[in-house]
Amino acid sequence: MKLEGLFNRRREDGTSGEHPRYVFVVTYGRSGSTLTQGLLNTLPGSLVRGENNMFMLPFFRSWAGLKEFQEKNNENARKGSQSAFYGLDEIDPEDFVQTARELTLRSLYGSADPSGVEVLGFKEVLWHRIKREEQAAFFDWFEQIFPGATYVLNQRDHEKVSTSGFWQNQEERRVLRTLKRVEEMQQFLRDSRPGRTHDIRYERVTSDDADVKARELRGLAEFVVGSCDDSLLAKLHATLDKGHGPRPFGRSRGQAEGEDEGESSSGSPVTAADASE
């Protein structure tokens, strides 16, 4: 199936009749997000890619900046070749949406056959780069690219996160500010998109209590693909036994000998500039 065909039919709700369901993991680094990514890829027909340095954010800002610039200067641009903004009014911001859609889908599918993908998305730990004042507009734009997008909201105990991996080299107040910012965004998504978000917690996924773990795994599968029989649950349990992330089942720097963290998450560094946004 050609990618162009994924958007060639529109339903009454504004979504295409052929595109896959979209799911995105919204979280911060060292939260167990790579393990969540592994669980999602265990689900039938699911293709959930890893981190991409939030490359869609500059696309959005280009689109938003152009629209704002046109609002200020299009009237002057219509004066013709004597205007400093000649031709500005002929640029269609929706071309940015179409181009971003085509590029992003091509990047996410990669070598996979689109006809076999029923659920498509990615996990990212740099959502905190989205500024509060652009948050609502960003997700509205994002869902022009991914109609009907759903969101898995991944969390982990803040103290465990702040003493794990690359966070150990960050000032604690910056770490906590970044975690708080992402969790504010998660709440925004819960409030603004009821029925399209699902919470998952690392401590429950890795719990020693078999019932707690099973409920967490079943809940994730039911949210994404609609059901979870015993066979699929067994596959999800098997995924938990595999290492995920840059240091599968390893210790974080500074962790005492003999303490096995078992954390399976992103190794993406967060800079001071990131943490301040």
Side-chain angles (χ1 to χ4, degrees):
M1 180 187 300
K2 293 183 178 180
L3 296 186
E4 302 90 279
L6 295 174
F7 289 87
N8 66 359
R9 290 211 311 267
R10 309 301 295 180
R11 293 199 191 107
E12 289 182 1
D13 64 2
T15 63
S16 167
E18 294 188 4
H19 72 66
R21 297 187 299 279
Y22 297 115
V23 61
F24 303 94
V25 181
V26 178
T27 190
Y28 34 80
R30 305 303 296 173
S31 64
S33 61
T34 309
L35 179 56
T36 298
Q37 173 188 309
L39 293 170
L40 290 169
N41 281 305
T42 303
L43 302 176
S46 181
L47 178 62
V48 176
R49 300 296 195 179
E51 298 159 33
N52 54 49
N53 198 38
M54 204 65 193
F55 74 82
M56 295 192 70
L57 185 54
F59 291 168
F60 161 73
R61 288 176 175 165
S62 293
W63 171 84
L66 174 61
K67 286 179 70 71
E68 181 180 4
F69 194 70
Q70 285 183 319
E71 288 172 5
K72 293 178 180 178
N73 299 297
N74 264 2
E75 185 175 349
N76 189 295
R78 296 187 185 100
K79 294 178 180 179
S81 60
Q82 68 269 31
S83 169
F85 309 106
Y86 178 46
L88 175 66
D89 58 317
E90 296 186 20
I91 300 174
D92 185 355
E94 297 315 303
D95 286 345
F96 281 67
V97 175
Q98 180 64 27
T99 300
R101 176 185 298 134
E102 292 172 357
L103 175 59
T104 304
L105 287 176
R106 190 172 294 111
S107 299
L108 292 179
Y109 280 116
S111 60
D113 179 359
S115 66
V117 177
E118 298 178 7
V119 177
L120 182 67
F122 60 80
K123 74 103 167 179
E124 184 55 78
V125 300
L126 298 178
W127 299 92
H128 61 274
R129 290 180 174 177
I130 302 170
K131 298 176 181 178
R132 286 181 181 86
E133 60 269 24
E134 65 184 358
Q135 176 175 269
F138 172 83
F139 282 104
D140 287 345
W141 174 86
F142 189 77
E143 291 177 9
Q144 291 186 60
I145 310 297
F146 303 110
T150 59
Y151 304 91
V152 172
L153 311 179
N154 200 97
Q155 300 124 31
R156 188 188 183 194
D157 177 77
H158 287 188
E159 183 177 355
K160 292 289 188 181
V161 171
S162 64
T163 57
S164 175
F166 61 83
W167 287 119
Q168 295 175 91
N169 299 322
Q170 304 287 330
E171 188 177 349
E172 184 178 8
R173 65 182 180 85
R174 281 191 175 138
V175 175
L176 296 178
R177 186 164 65 234
T178 299
L179 305 189
K180 180 181 178 183
R181 172 71 191 108
V182 175
E183 292 187 355
E184 286 177 354
M185 188 177 300
Q186 291 177 339
Q187 189 59 50
F188 164 79
L189 291 169
R190 290 186 198 99
D191 293 341
S192 61
R193 288 150 174 83
R196 290 201 278 132
T197 64
H198 177 78
D199 286 78
I200 185 169
R201 193 163 188 90
Y202 178 77
E203 289 83 1
R204 294 196 293 263
V205 171
T206 60
S207 175
D208 292 331
D209 186 319
D211 290 337
V212 170
K213 182 185 295 184
R215 280 197 300 272
E216 198 77 351
L217 296 176
R218 282 190 186 276
L220 179 65
E222 289 169 356
F223 174 72
V224 177
V225 296
S227 64
C228 183
D229 60 18
D230 289 343
S231 175
L232 180 53
L233 182 61
K235 292 177 182 178
L236 292 169
H237 276 290
T239 298
L240 293 179
D241 294 332
K242 301 175 183 177
H244 289 78
R247 291 169 131 129
F249 306 120
R251 290 186 298 274
S252 293
R253 293 186 298 277
Q255 191 172 10
E257 187 70 30
E259 293 182 6
D260 185 12
E261 183 182 74
E263 160 68 2
S264 304
S265 187
S266 168
S268 295
V270 175
T271 66
D274 286 338
S276 67
E277 289 192 55

